[in-house]
Amino acid sequence: MDAVALLNPERRMLRVMQGKSGHQWTLTEVLTACEWGDQAVAVGAGHGLSNAGLVSTTESSSALFRLADEGHKAKENGLLESRIWNWITQSDTPSMAALQSEFERHEAGPGVGLLKRLGVQLESGVFVSSNPSEVEAAIEARTAFIQSLPAAPESLDVSLVEHFQSRRGLIESVITITRSWSITPQGQAIKSEALVEKQSVSEITTEFLQSDAWKEADYRPFDVTLESATPRTGRSHPMQALIERVRSIFLEMGFSELVDDYVQTAGWNMDALFIPQDHPAREMQDTFYLENPKSIDLPEHLTDAWGAIHEHGGETGSVGWGGKFSAETSERGLLRTHTTVNTIQYLAANPKNACRVFSVDRVFRKEAIDRTHLPEFHQIEGIIMEEGANLQMLVATLKTFYAKMGYPEVRVRPAYFPYTEPSLEIEVKWRGKWLELGGAGIFRPEVTEPLGISSPVLAWGMGLERLAMLVLGLDDIRQLYISDLEWLRNQPIL
Ligand code: PHE
C-alpha cells in the first residue's frame, strides 16, 4: 500500500490507531484521540482507510424513535388532550362553546376527538367523564412516553408507539449507524514516517511549481463529478461574437476592414452603382430618405459622369438607361441600404491599387418587421480588385469563407443586380435545404469606368442576421435583438 496516497485525516487516524493495536475504536474515541470536532472527518477517514485495507470497520445499525416537530412542542407545553383535560377539570361549565373560545379551531376539533376516545362525553352541554382517573392515567402514560424519547423501539410500549404513529408530526423513527474501527496488520505495518501529515495544497501557484515543494506535497482531491453552479459573467452578445468571427476570417484571408458612415447620398448608394433613377427600390417603401440632411453636395464632375452613363452609357459602349438624369436626386441624403455604397467609394478613392477589402456593418431598409425581416440589419460586404480577377476566384473566395464558418456546402445561381455582370446568388446547405444568403458579381463597366478603375472588381454582399439564424438555429430573426436574458445566457460561445 502506497501510504503517500493517504489524505491527512487518514494519516492522523491511522497513526493514532497504531498506538493501540487490537483496540476497537468507537467514534467518540477517535474524535478525542485525533482532536477532531467534526464527526464527518472521522467517518470519511475511516472510510478511506477501510477501502485501503488498513483498518476494518464494524457497522451496526439500530432504529430509534425520536420526537418530531409537534412532539417537541408537546414536550414543552403538554399534549393537546392533557391541556384540554386540565381545562375541563378546572372550568365551571366546560361547554363546547367555552372550549371553542378557549382553544384555537385547529386544536379544539382534534382535541375533542382525542378525549372522546378516552371516554369523555358531552352531557347536558358540558364535558364529563364517567371515569376521570382512567383518563388521567392514560394521559400520564402518554406524557411519560413523550418525555422518554429518544429511545430504542425495544424499550417502548408497542401500543403507545402505534398510537403516536397514528398522530401527525409527533414522533418519527430513524435508523442510526454506529461504527467502530480496528487496525489491520497492513495498517499496523505502515511506517510512521509515511503518516506525517503534509500541508495539503488546493491552489497551485507559479511559485509553488518553481520550488521543489510540489514533489512532496499532498494535493487536495477535487471531485469533478459534482454538480456546480454555472457562473454568470459578462459575455459578448451572440451577434457581436459572430461579427468578430466573420472579421477574423476575412483578416486571415488577407482582407482589410473598411468602416464608413450610415448617412450617404443617393448618388453613391445608387447612381454610382448604375441603379436607374426610376428604379422601384428608390421609392419610399425601401429607402429611408432623410429630412436632415435633406441633401448633401456632390462634386459636379461625379454627377456629370454618372449622368452621362445613365443617359447614354458615357464612353463605355453601353446605351445607359435613357431618360433624364437628375443631379438633385443624386444629392438626396439617406440611410445606406447596402454597404456596397462604401466599397464603391473606397474604389473611387483608390482606383489603381489592387485590393481586398471587407466590412461588416449596419444597413437600413424600410421593411415591415417579421420572422425574417428587420428594418436595420448587417451586411458582410467585400471586394477584390486585381488584374485577372474572375468569376471562379469570386466563387472560390465565397466558398472558402463559408467553409471557414462551418458550412462547406455552397452553391451559386445566376441572379441580377444593376451593377454587376455576371451576377449571382449564394446559397448554403443547412439541414438539407438550400438557403439564400447573399448576392455577388463582377462590377459592370458602367460602374468602374467613370471612377477610373481598370482591373476587374469582384464584389459581394451577404446578410449577417441570416447567417446568425443558421449558426444559432433560429427560426425568428427578432430573437437576436429582443434582449431575452435567459436566451442570451444560454447561447453557445462562438
Ligand atoms: N448590395 C447587394 C444587396 O444589398 C449585394 C451585392 C453586393 C450584390 C455586391 C452584388 C455585388 O443585396
Side-chain angles (χ1 to χ4, degrees), residues 337-338 340 365 379 381 417 419-420 439-441 443 459-461:
T337 62
H338 54 183
T340 319
R365 287 183 198 176
Q379 285 189 324
E381 187 89 19
F417 299 102
Y419 36 98
T420 48
F443 279 151
W460 60 88

Side-chain angles (χ1 to χ4, degrees), residues 400-454:
T400 307
F401 169 75
Y402 282 112
K404 282 175 186 277
M405 281 303 305
Y407 301 93
E409 285 192 80
V410 176
R411 76 176 183 189
V412 296
R413 297 199 310 165
Y416 172 76
F417 299 102
Y419 36 98
T420 48
E421 180 61 37
S423 302
L424 49 94
E425 253 161 27
I426 313 144
E427 294 186 328
V428 165
K429 188 114 175 228
W430 187 66
R431 298 189 182 164
K433 278 195 295 192
W434 290 104
L435 283 171
E436 201 228 298
L437 288 188
I442 304 180
F443 279 151
R444 297 173 69 100
E446 289 94 329
V447 173
T448 52
E449 281 188 22
L451 301 175
I453 299 161
S454 43

Side-chain angles (χ1 to χ4, degrees), residues 261-266 268-271 273 275 279-289 333-342 361-367 374-379 381 419 461-462:
D261 301 334
Y262 303 158
V263 174
Q264 297 286 346
T265 55
W268 282 115
N269 196 82
M270 298 156 196
D271 300 328
L273 293 165
I275 299 174
H279 191 283
R282 295 212 179 193
E283 297 308 311
M284 299 304 286
Q285 72 268 25
D286 276 317
T287 306
F288 288 111
Y289 286 98
L334 49 72
L335 290 176
R336 65 179 174 209
T337 62
H338 54 183
T339 39
T340 319
V341 67
N342 302 124
D361 225 331
R362 187 175 303 210
V363 299
F364 306 83
R365 287 183 198 176
K366 220 171 185 178
E367 310 246 30
L374 292 170
E376 276 188 53
F377 56 100
H378 293 78
Q379 285 189 324
E381 187 89 19
Y419 36 98
M462 307 175 292

Side-chain angles (χ1 to χ4, degrees), residues 17-260:
M17 289 175 76
Q18 282 183 342
K20 269 195 192 178
S21 68
H23 182 67
Q24 193 73 30
W25 293 76
T26 65
L27 180 62
T28 325
E29 287 172 325
V30 171
L31 288 175
T32 317
C34 292
E35 297 174 347
W36 284 333
D38 185 355
Q39 299 194 358
V41 177
V43 173
H47 194 70
L49 290 171
S50 197
N51 281 346
L54 304 177
V55 304
S56 72
T57 306
T58 310
E59 270 182 8
S60 64
S61 63
S62 55
L64 194 71
F65 279 105
R66 66 179 182 196
L67 295 173
D69 283 353
E70 288 302 315
H72 286 290
K73 287 186 208 154
K75 188 173 175 180
E76 275 289 287
N77 312 321
L79 284 161
L80 178 58
E81 57 270 46
S82 156
R83 285 183 285 126
I84 295 186
W85 176 248
N86 287 346
W87 172 81
I88 289 174
T89 55
Q90 281 156 27
S91 170
D92 297 333
T93 43
S95 67
M96 184 62 113
L99 179 125
Q100 280 165 344
S101 71
E102 190 68 21
F103 292 88
E104 289 194 38
R105 182 145 20 123
H106 74 273
E107 294 204 319
V112 169
L114 283 165
L115 286 166
K116 278 196 173 152
R117 266 172 268 136
L118 288 173
V120 178
Q121 276 162 345
L122 262 183
E123 261 168 40
S124 330
V126 296
F127 289 105
V128 288
S129 161
S130 54
N131 194 345
S133 59
E134 205 177 277
V135 177
E136 250 145 51
I139 290 178
E140 224 169 273
R142 289 181 189 177
T143 306
F145 180 93
I146 289 293
Q147 300 292 340
S148 73
L149 295 189
E154 311 80 74
S155 67
L156 295 170
D157 180 278
V158 183
S159 63
L160 280 172
V161 169
E162 274 170 12
H163 168 79
F164 280 110
Q165 278 181 323
S166 74
R167 291 171 66 173
R168 193 177 331 146
L170 280 166
I171 67 169
E172 60 193 6
S173 72
V174 284
I175 305 287
T176 57
I177 293 174
T178 318
R179 292 182 188 81
S180 60
W181 299 273
S182 62
I183 194 161
T184 62
Q186 293 96 303
Q188 201 65 50
I190 300 280
K191 297 247 173 10
S192 64
E193 308 89 77
L195 297 180
V196 177
E197 287 165 61
K198 292 184 185 168
Q199 186 205 349
S200 151
V201 178
S202 58
E203 206 176 319
I204 294 171
T205 61
T206 322
E207 293 74 35
F208 177 74
L209 289 177
Q210 280 166 353
S211 76
D212 270 348
W214 63 269
K215 291 182 189 160
E216 296 295 315
D218 194 39
Y219 294 93
R220 213 187 113 212
F222 292 111
D223 186 347
V224 293
T225 63
L226 288 179
E227 289 247 351
S228 72
T230 308
R232 283 186 175 169
T233 54
R235 51 184 293 185
S236 292
H237 189 281
M239 283 309 285
Q240 191 55 41
L242 183 63
I243 290 174
E244 293 304 338
R245 190 154 150 216
V246 168
R247 192 171 270 153
S248 68
I249 291 176
F250 278 112
L251 291 172
E252 188 179 296
M253 287 166 72
F255 285 73
S256 336
E257 185 169 3
L258 178 65
V259 181
D260 209 333

